[in-house]
Amino acid sequence: MKVAVAKVNDYQPKNVQAGVEAALESLGGLGCFIQAGDKVLLKPNMLEGLPSERAVTTHPEVVRAMIRQVKRLGATPVIGDSPGVAGTLKTAEKCGILAICREENVQLIAFENSAEYQFPEGKTLKKFRLSEVLQQVDKVVSVAKMKTHTFMGMTGATKNLFGCIVGVQKAQFHLRTRQRREFAGMLIDLALLVKPVLSVVDGIVGMEGNGPRNGRLVQPGLILAGENCFAVDIVMAEIMGLEINSLPVAALSLELGLTPPCSAIERVGDGREVRHRFVAPRSMQSLEDRVPAWFARWAANHLTARPEICPNCILCGRCVAHCPPQAMKIAGGKVRIDDAKCIRCYCCQELCPENAVRLQTGLVLDLANKFMK
């Protein structure tokens, strides 16, 4: 079990190329995972069409570096994703990935049509509806971004695969797996089904706080790579200074034996000793995973951070349109939230273009957190 960590100071193309190549060489080279003739889906994080300097999406130069590495082996790379808000083409254009695809003469595929995939060995879900593109490629590589995440604590190699679910169908998965541990179980089943042969993480510039869209920029200056997406995420969490047991995917992957403990993962590369202290998202103060499930459901309004609309809301309606349980509406010139329907998925906070959704903890949660410390 090996994870490579390479230092990369900036997004200058030659520096990114060198960093990605160094990380892959530390793993034995890309040829250990991809062979000539393979059609390879490079799956970047394209959450929303924002400039690459916002660090919301995988940087286009990291995508370019991976495209060139795949081509060098005589394989065919394609780029694909299903963004959270707009279409793939528009999102890729705004974040700079479309330009890279055109410059490198690589196909950009929108995940528009889905197919049913049976997964009888799944612990949480036995079947998925995912992009049919997965049936048309030989290998999948997750090309993720180092960020915090208001619902799952952290997004990385594993969470990046959630983009294989097409468009608004993502909402159904939020509704079916409402608690963090359930959602983590779904993501783990998804990763085991998709089976990425390699995971690469853009950690040159990352995000802390209320990620994955509205956090603050941090510059770890790193590229991570590894065969096991769960191990890559655990090493990434340690680098970010996050408590691994508080991260649902990391904690559950350890519990299921899908990755060894952090101390048993071999780290290679010149960045293996780098450590930071990322600010965790406020929503991770939730106690839902430290109390019985029945109690968490009964007391959800008191034991989780509650989304509230700030005065800088521009009434764009994005949160209303993308709320999985349809707990939000615009009435009387304001966005109103039905707390009884809210499932605390924080999609509203994640997608708000004005950072106008704050996560407010109640008195009970504040007191309970002080008691648990």
Side-chain angles (χ1 to χ4, degrees):
M1 193 67 64
K2 185 184 293 186
V3 174
V5 187
K7 290 183 179 179
V8 184
N9 292 328
D10 53 44
Y11 287 112
Q12 290 296 317
K14 65 177 182 178
N15 294 336
V16 178
Q17 294 283 343
V20 167
E21 185 170 359
L24 296 178
E25 287 301 317
S26 295
L27 299 175
L30 187 59
C32 293
F33 312 100
I34 293 168
Q35 288 73 49
D38 282 343
K39 186 175 182 180
V40 182
L41 171 63
L42 300 177
K43 164 63 182 73
N45 183 324
M46 287 199 292
L47 174 65
E48 185 179 348
L50 293 169
S52 58
E53 58 267 24
R54 291 279 301 273
V56 171
T57 58
T58 306
H59 197 280
E61 288 301 333
V62 176
V63 177
R64 187 201 301 272
M66 285 304 303
I67 288 172
R68 292 183 174 180
Q69 289 289 323
V70 171
K71 283 183 173 180
R72 187 180 300 176
L73 288 174
T76 302
V78 296
I79 311 298
D81 194 11
S82 178
V85 182
T88 303
L89 183 65
K90 186 175 181 179
T91 299
E93 181 179 18
K94 290 186 175 181
C95 72
I97 289 177
L98 178 60
I100 295 298
C101 290
R102 288 172 173 167
E103 291 168 13
E104 300 295 328
N105 194 27
V106 168
Q107 183 182 12
L108 174 69
I109 304 176
F111 292 174
E112 296 177 339
N113 299 317
S114 62
E116 187 171 285
Y117 295 76
Q118 298 294 327
F119 191 58
E121 58 267 47
K123 301 291 186 182
T124 301
L125 295 180
K126 303 294 184 182
K127 63 181 179 180
F128 286 82
R129 288 205 66 85
L130 306 175
S131 169
E132 64 180 15
V133 173
L134 297 174
Q135 300 174 338
Q136 303 163 8
V137 298
D138 301 300
K139 305 285 176 62
V140 176
V141 176
S142 178
V143 189
K145 188 72 176 177
M146 181 185 286
K147 299 187 291 183
T148 50
H149 193 278
T150 50
F151 184 43
M152 298 308 291
M154 180 188 80
T155 187
T158 307
K159 175 66 173 62
N160 185 44
L161 299 173
F162 193 55
C164 293
I165 299 169
V166 177
V168 296
Q169 295 177 25
K170 294 181 178 69
Q172 297 303 313
F173 287 85
H174 276 291
L175 288 171
R176 293 173 65 183
T177 53
R178 298 187 181 193
Q179 287 193 301
R180 286 192 175 98
R181 183 178 174 88
E182 293 174 334
F183 197 82
M186 178 274 295
L187 290 176
I188 286 174
D189 285 344
L190 175 62
L192 294 175
L193 171 61
V194 174
K195 295 180 181 176
V197 297
L198 179 70
S199 293
V200 176
V201 178
D202 168 14
I204 300 173
V205 176
M207 184 179 292
E208 68 176 2
N210 289 329
R213 186 195 187 281
N214 294 308
R216 296 177 295 275
L217 301 189
V218 184
Q219 191 166 357
L222 299 171
I223 291 287
L224 285 76
E227 180 178 7
N228 184 309
C229 60
F230 310 115
V232 171
D233 283 346
I234 284 176
V235 171
M236 187 178 86
E238 185 188 44
I239 290 172
M240 295 169 74
L242 301 175
E243 176 57 48
I244 291 174
N245 289 334
S246 72
L247 303 171
V249 171
L252 188 54
S253 65
L254 283 167
E255 182 182 319
L256 295 174
L258 298 171
T259 175
C262 192
S263 59
I265 299 172
E266 181 184 0
R267 272 153 286 192
V268 294
D270 59 359
R272 63 186 181 275
E273 302 297 333
V274 174
R275 298 292 183 274
H276 287 265
R277 182 61 63 180
F278 277 51
V279 175
R282 184 175 176 83
S283 58
M284 293 310 291
Q285 294 179 16
S286 169
L287 293 180
E288 67 174 60
D289 298 315
R290 287 180 276 168
V291 298
W294 66 267
F295 185 74
R297 287 192 294 267
W298 175 78
N301 286 340
H302 304 291
L303 295 179
T304 56
R306 181 170 61 88
E308 290 187 349
I309 307 301
C310 300
N312 60 312
C313 172
I314 61 172
L315 296 177
C316 67
R318 179 183 288 184
C319 58
V320 176
H322 292 275
C323 177
Q326 298 181 329
M328 310 180 78
K329 64 179 181 180
I330 297 177
K334 294 182 179 180
V335 174
R336 303 185 184 277
I337 303 173
D338 185 338
D339 287 335
K341 291 183 178 180
C342 177
I343 62 174
R344 308 303 198 263
C345 65
Y346 308 119
C347 289
C348 53
Q349 192 276 339
E350 176 179 337
L351 298 176
C352 180
E354 298 296 319
N355 197 16
V357 181
R358 68 182 176 189
L359 303 178
Q360 183 66 36
T361 56
L363 177 61
V364 174
L365 178 56
D366 285 339
L367 292 174
N369 274 317
K370 291 177 183 178
F371 177 77
M372 295 288 286
K373 289 181 178 179

